[in-house]
Amino acid sequence: MSVIGEEEVRGSKAIFKEISADDEDQQPTVIESLCMSCFENGTTRLLLTKIPFFKEIIISSFTCDSCGGSNTEIQSAGKIQEQGVVYTLAIKTKQDINREVIKSDSATTRIPELDFEIPPFTQKGSLSTVEGLIDRAVSGLEQDQAVRKATAPEVAAKIEEFVEKLIKLKDVETPFTLIIDDSSGNSFVENPFAPQRDEALTVTHYKRTTQQDIQLGLKADDDDEEEEEQVEEKPGSTIEDMRNEVLQFNTNCPECNAPASTNMKLVQIPHFKEVIIMATNCDSCGHRTNEVKSGGATEKQGTKITLHITDPSDMTRDLLKSETCSILIPELEFELGMAAVGGKFTTLEGLLKDIKHLIVSKNPFTLGDSSNPDLAGKLQLFGKKIDQIIALELDAHIVLDDPAGSSYLQNVYAPDPDPEMKTEHYERTFEQNEDLGLNDMKTEGYLEGQSADR
C-alpha cells in the first residue's frame, strides 16, 4: 500500500479534518491494492478524519470488482497520552449498564467476578455502552460455536455456559465490576453525575511500564540503557545557562497535528521552587497551550491549599497546578482528579475558565444524537455557577490537593501569612505513593546493583 506524499502533508494545514458533509475538499485517497481472496487488484479508499470531541481516525475501505470481496476498518491515529488510565466502575443498577464508554484498541477489559478478560489489541476501538461491550464479547465467543460443537463439544458447552453468565450481567441481578485499563490513556467512561463526583467510578492514572511502551510503539526492544549511557553533558552547559535561555524544539499541534514549535524555559517561582514551563503555538490553526513540569524532586509531604475567594484581586493570583494535583470546589460539590487538566501555570480565573471549558464545552456526551438533555442542563448550570464565582456573585472556596507537593497559589501578603489562604502539609498514603511511583523507587544501593550487572 502506498504512502501519502510528503508534499501533500506539508501543504495541508490540517491533515485530519472534522467530518462534514459541506466540505467538498474532504475526499478519500484512492489506492490500488491486492485482494487477499482472489489475488487480483482491488481498490482501497483511505479517509483521514477527526471525530469531534473524540480523536483522529483513519477510515479504510477495500472493494474487489473481481470477486466482490469487501472490508472496512477504523484505525486510531490519535495522540497517546503521557500516562495510562484505569477506570473501575461498580455496576449496581440498570442505569449503569447504559453508561457510554470509549474503549481504545490498546485497552484491557476485565470483569473480576467472572474472571473474564479481553486482552489489549484483540479488538478494534469502539464508542459504545457497557451493555454494548458485553454484547460484543458475547458475539465474539459465539462466533465459532457451530464448529466447536462438531469438533470439541465439551469446550462448546463450557463456552455456552459462560455466555449465559455474561448475558445475565445485563439484568444486574447482582452487582459486578467493570475495569478498563488503557495504557494509551485514550479510553473514557461516562460520569452521569458530572460535574459532581461519581461514587461508583474510580479513575486512576499511572506511569506506563517499559513493556507497555514497547506494545504502543513508543520504544524499541533494544532501546533503554545503551542510549542513556551515550548521553554526555555538554561542556559549559550549566543550570544557570538554562535559566537564561529559552529552548525550542519541533513538535506537532495537539489539535490539528500540523508542525508546530514548543518553547521551554526553567523558571524560579518566588517563595516556591523551580519549574519547567513549556508553551506551544500553532501557526496553522492558532491553537495555544502551556504545560508545567516540576523542576525539582518530589516533596517529602503532600500539600493542600485552601483559598476563600473574597476579592476581585483573588482572580489575578498566580497559580501553578501540577499534573498530580486535584481540584475541589466544596460549594459546588465538585472534584476534578489529577491529570484531568494537566500541569498549568496560569491565574485563578484562568483555571476556573479551563474547568468550565473542559466540563461544559469539551464533554463528548453532551452533544450529538445520543446526548442526555438532563445532563446537558446540569452542566450548563454548573458553567453559570463558575461564572458567578469569577464575578464574586457566589461565595466559594477552591482547594488544591497535591500529594507530590508541587502546586502553588500566590500569597499576595508574602512573606506574611495570607488571612484567606490556608496551607496544610500531610503524610501521603500508600495509595498516593503508589500513584506517584514512589513505592517501587529504589533510592539506596542502586549504584551497587548497576556495577554488579556490568
Side-chain angles (χ1 to χ4, degrees), residues 2 14 16 23 42 56 83 133 144 147 187 189 206 216 242 276 369 399 407 413 417 432 447:
S2 65
F16 294 88
D23 189 356
E56 297 85 358
Q83 291 182 311
L133 291 180
D144 297 321
V147 178
S187 293
V189 176
Y206 63 89
L216 294 172
M242 291 185 64
I276 300 170
D369 297 336
V399 182
S407 294
Y413 295 91
Q432 288 172 327
L447 292 177

Side-chain angles (χ1 to χ4, degrees), residues 17 39 48 134 168 202 250 304 318 327 337 362 399 448 450:
K17 296 182 179 180
F39 299 102
L48 282 65
I134 295 174
K168 281 185 179 179
T202 304
N250 296 325
K304 184 178 181 179
D318 288 334
I327 304 169
K362 291 189 68 176
V399 182
E448 298 176 4
Q450 285 184 355

Side-chain angles (χ1 to χ4, degrees), residues 328-440:
L328 294 90
I329 305 178
E331 289 77 5
L332 302 186
E333 298 182 3
F334 171 76
E335 179 177 350
L336 190 67
M338 63 171 67
V341 175
K344 280 187 175 294
F345 184 48
T346 179
T347 61
L348 180 57
E349 181 179 4
L351 179 67
L352 290 172
K353 287 182 176 179
D354 284 342
I355 291 173
K356 177 184 174 183
H357 180 66
L358 176 70
I359 300 298
V360 180
S361 303
K362 291 189 68 176
N363 194 316
F365 299 116
T366 58
L367 299 173
D369 297 336
S370 62
S371 63
N372 186 333
D374 294 336
L375 177 59
K378 287 169 56 181
L379 294 181
Q380 291 297 330
L381 179 61
F382 174 80
K384 290 180 181 178
K385 289 184 178 180
I386 290 289
D387 291 335
Q388 290 176 344
I389 293 175
I390 295 175
L392 265 73
E393 297 173 358
L394 181 64
D395 185 60
H397 295 73
I398 188 163
V399 182
L400 304 179
D401 190 348
D402 189 353
S406 299
S407 294
Y408 161 85
L409 183 60
Q410 182 185 11
N411 174 7
V412 293
Y413 295 91
D416 298 324
D418 189 329
E420 302 298 339
M421 188 169 75
K422 180 182 178 183
T423 303
E424 304 171 74
H425 299 280
Y426 60 87
E427 296 294 330
R428 285 185 290 267
T429 64
F430 178 87
E431 289 76 15
Q432 288 172 327
N433 282 329
E434 186 71 19
D435 291 339
L436 296 173
L438 299 178
N439 291 333
D440 299 326

Side-chain angles (χ1 to χ4, degrees), residues 147-163:
V147 178
R148 290 194 196 100
K149 288 179 180 179
T151 58
E154 294 181 0
V155 175
K158 290 181 179 179
I159 291 177
E160 196 167 328
E161 181 183 348
F162 187 80
V163 166

